Amino acid sequence: MFPLRKTKNKHLCRWISISIATILTLNYSTPLEATEAPPVSKGSDTLQNNDVYSSRRTLYDKISTVTQIPWYRLAAIDQYERTLTKANPKNRSHLPRLSGVYMSSPAWSGALNPDPIDSNPLSIAIFGGIGRDGSGDQLADANNDMDILYSMATYLLQYGQSQNDFSIALWEYYHNSRAVQRIQQFSKLYEKFSALELTRHAFPLPLKSQYSYQSTWGTGRNWGGFRIHEGTDLFAGYGVPVHSTSYGIIEMKGWNSFGGWRIGIRDINNHYHYFAHLMGYEKGLETGDIVTAGQVIGYVGSSGYGKPGTQGKFPPHLHYGIYRDSGLTEWSFDPYPLLHRWEQEERKSHKQDKKNIGRPLR
C-alpha cells in the first residue's frame, strides 16, 4: 500500500471504519442492544434544581430495567464521576446533562479507532470502545444520558451481577482502590435510604450547649513537627455530644496520635468529615456503619498528642476538619463557612418548628 498524504489520511480511515460498520450492520449486534431501549432525555440544562434528583432516579431505573444492574450501583458510579469532575473540571469537561459519567474519546470510541468522535455503535465495538446505543437512535453519543449510562451498565455486565463481580469490574475500569471503595460506599448509602438527595447537613454540636468557635484553619501547629491546622476547633465542655454533620459511612474510627480518639465519615459528595479529640464514641458504632446527619457519634474531650489514652494536654474541644478527594489525593479546606451556615440553618429550622407547635391541623 502506498503511503497516504496526511491531509487525506484521517478522512479515508474514517470512511473505511464506517464502511466496515455498514457492511456488518445486518450481522452484528450485542445481546443488550437487541433489547428495546426506553426513551431518552438528552440533557439537564433546562431542568429546575428540584427536578434533577427525580429525573436522575428515573434514568437509573430505566437502565436498571433493561440491564438488571441495580439502580443504586449506577447511581454510585454516576455520583463518584460527578465528584471527580468537580475536583478536576478542566480535564473532564462535558456538555450539561443529567449523568456525571465522563469517558475519554479513546475509552468511548476505542483506542485504535481512527475516528475519535465516532458515534457508530458497530465500528466502536470493532475497535473495542465502550460506547453503546442505549436510546435506540442507532447512535452512540457520549453526551447522551441514556447512551453513556447504558454503556457503563453493559461494561459492568461483562463481569457479572454479584457484589464481588461489581468490585472486580470497578477495579478493571479505574485501576484505583480508592475509586472502588468510594463507589461501594456510595452504593451502600443509596441502597440503604433508597433516595438520591442525601445532602442534608447538621451542626456538629447541640445548639443548646455552651460552645464557641472561630476560623482557625491554616494556623501553625508545633506538636509532632511544624504543620498547619487543617480544621476548626469548637470549644465545649467534656461530654458534650458530637453529631455527624452529614449522611455518610464511618470510614475510620480509633486512636490517632495527633487527633486522639477520632472518627472519620465519608459523605455522598466524596467529602471526608474528621472529628477529633473525642472523649469517647457513641455505643455500638463501628467502621462501615451508616450514619445520618445529626446522629450522635461521640463526645467532646481532650484526647491526643501522645500514645493511646493521652488526655488533657489542651482544653476540651472538638476538632472538625473536612477533606475533598480528587481521585488520587485528598486535601483539606476551611470548614468554618460551612459550620456557620449549618449553624444558622439549624437555628432557623428550630425556630420554625417552635412556630408550628400548637398550630391546628387543616
Side-chain angles (χ1 to χ4, degrees):
M1 179 181 289
F2 294 102
L4 298 174
R5 294 181 181 177
K6 291 183 179 180
T7 55
K8 294 183 179 180
N9 185 49
K10 179 179 179 181
H11 298 292
L12 181 58
C13 289
R14 183 177 183 183
W15 179 85
I16 291 172
S17 64
I18 293 174
S19 297
I20 294 172
T22 303
I23 292 171
L24 297 176
T25 298
L26 297 178
N27 299 316
Y28 179 89
S29 64
T30 64
L32 288 176
E33 285 170 344
T35 306
E36 183 179 353
V40 65
S41 173
K42 281 242 180 180
S44 61
D45 52 326
T46 59
L47 289 174
Q48 299 297 322
N49 288 336
N50 58 348
D51 294 329
V52 169
Y53 291 110
S54 61
S55 297
R56 284 178 185 158
R57 179 59 190 269
T58 299
L59 179 63
Y60 303 146
D61 286 340
K62 287 178 178 179
I63 300 296
S64 181
T65 298
V66 173
T67 65
Q68 299 306 301
I69 297 292
W71 74 269
Y72 47 84
R73 291 184 182 174
L74 298 171
I77 293 173
D78 196 33
Q79 178 63 12
Y80 178 70
E81 289 277 327
R82 192 173 291 109
T83 65
L84 291 185
T85 299
K86 188 172 183 179
N88 306 279
K90 293 183 180 180
N91 300 327
R92 297 171 53 90
S93 61
H94 58 73
L95 296 176
R97 47 183 166 83
L98 283 172
S99 171
V101 174
Y102 170 84
M103 292 187 188
S104 65
S105 293
W108 183 263
S109 302
L112 299 178
N113 194 329
D115 184 2
I117 57 171
D118 194 358
S119 61
N120 187 308
L122 299 178
S123 57
I124 287 174
I126 290 170
F127 288 106
I130 293 177
R132 296 291 184 270
D133 171 23
S135 63
D137 63 358
Q138 307 305 312
L139 296 174
D141 182 355
N143 277 300
N144 181 298
D145 289 314
M146 190 68 77
D147 287 358
I148 198 162
L149 281 178
Y150 178 73
S151 300
M152 178 58 73
T154 303
Y155 169 81
L156 295 176
L157 281 178
Q158 298 177 50
Y159 295 87
Q161 293 276 32
S162 72
Q163 181 63 45
N164 189 53
D165 293 334
F166 183 52
S167 298
I168 293 172
L170 293 176
W171 169 256
E172 291 297 331
Y173 186 81
Y174 291 100
H175 295 285
N176 184 335
S177 59
R178 182 193 296 263
V180 176
Q181 181 188 33
R182 300 293 183 266
I183 293 171
Q184 288 175 329
Q185 290 169 329
F186 295 173
S187 177
K188 188 176 179 180
L189 285 169
Y190 286 138
E191 183 181 14
K192 167 70 175 179
F193 295 105
S194 192
L196 293 175
E197 194 172 1
L198 303 176
T199 57
R200 186 174 71 84
H201 289 88
F203 191 68
L205 298 177
L207 297 184
K208 62 182 180 181
S209 64
Q210 296 293 321
Y211 64 85
S212 64
Y213 70 103
Q214 60 183 352
S215 180
T216 54
W217 186 86
T219 58
R221 290 292 184 272
N222 293 320
W223 190 88
F226 180 78
R227 53 198 171 87
I228 68 166
H229 189 233
E230 296 184 346
T232 292
D233 289 336
L234 298 95
F235 290 89
Y238 283 106
V240 171
V242 173
H243 299 161
S244 173
T245 50
S246 66
Y247 289 89
I249 288 184
I250 298 176
E251 190 172 293
M252 192 73 67
K253 175 176 175 281
W255 182 265
N256 175 292
S257 59
F258 293 97
W261 300 116
R262 54 76 162 95
I263 191 166
I265 296 172
R266 178 76 52 183
D267 74 9
I268 205 68
N269 291 314
N270 210 358
H271 290 159
Y272 180 76
H273 302 254
Y274 176 72
F275 305 80
H277 305 318
L278 302 176
M279 184 173 72
Y281 305 107
E282 177 68 357
K283 187 177 180 180
L285 285 182
E286 299 294 341
T287 301
D289 286 353
I290 291 174
V291 296
T292 59
Q295 179 178 336
V296 175
I297 57 174
Y299 302 90
V300 173
S302 61
S303 62
Y305 283 19
K307 62 184 181 179
T310 304
Q311 305 269 351
K313 290 197 171 183
F314 38 75
H317 68 276
L318 169 68
H319 169 95
Y320 174 73
I322 187 167
Y323 297 76
R324 174 172 287 132
D325 186 356
S326 69
L328 297 175
T329 60
E330 283 189 313
W331 69 92
S332 68
F333 59 95
D334 188 357
Y336 178 82
L338 290 175
L339 288 168
H340 182 70
R341 188 177 80 191
W342 298 338
E343 180 186 34
Q344 297 306 310
E345 289 175 349
E346 200 164 318
R347 288 191 187 282
K348 184 177 180 180
S349 177
H350 286 185
K351 288 180 181 179
Q352 188 62 43
D353 290 342
K354 288 181 179 180
K355 288 182 181 180
N356 292 335
I357 294 177
R359 285 186 178 180
L361 298 176
R362 294 184 179 179

